[in-house]
Amino acid sequence: MKTRRMSLLAAAATVLGLTGVIVPGAADSYAASGVALPIAHFSHLLVDAGHGHLFFSGGAGADGIVVTDLDGGDATTIGGEPGATRQGTR
C-alpha cells in the first residue's frame, strides 16, 4: 500500500511540474506604470532599502538631489547640492 501511495504522489508531482503550475504571489513585481519625477534626467541613483528611499542626482547643471520612497512617490528635492554628479576620488 505504501508503494502505491508513493507512486501516486510521484505521478502527481510530475504532472504538476510538467503543467507549469504557477505559485500564488509569483507575479511580476515591477510597477505597471511609470512615475514622473521632477527632473529631466538623472546621473546617479542610490537605493536605501533599509530606510525605504531612492536618491537621484540630476546630472550636469543640476544642484539638487531628488528623494522618493521605493515606489517613486512622495518626491522631495534637497537643493543646494552642487557636485552631486561627481564620482568619488580614490
Side-chain angles (χ1 to χ4, degrees):
M1 208 49 154
K2 282 187 178 184
T3 304
R4 183 177 176 162
R5 187 179 308 165
M6 291 302 286
S7 297
L8 186 58
L9 287 174
T14 301
V15 168
L16 288 175
L18 292 175
T19 59
V21 173
I22 307 236
V23 177
D28 293 332
S29 61
Y30 60 87
S33 63
V35 175
L37 294 176
I39 54 177
H41 61 280
F42 72 95
S43 175
H44 292 92
L45 165 68
L46 176 84
V47 178
D48 182 359
H51 294 101
H53 293 104
L54 299 172
F55 297 87
F56 299 89
S57 64
D63 68 345
I65 299 171
V66 176
V67 182
T68 70
D69 61 19
L70 293 176
D71 294 324
D74 300 325
T76 301
T77 301
I78 302 171
E81 295 295 326
T85 62
R86 281 190 244 153
Q87 294 286 338
T89 57
R90 296 178 189 207

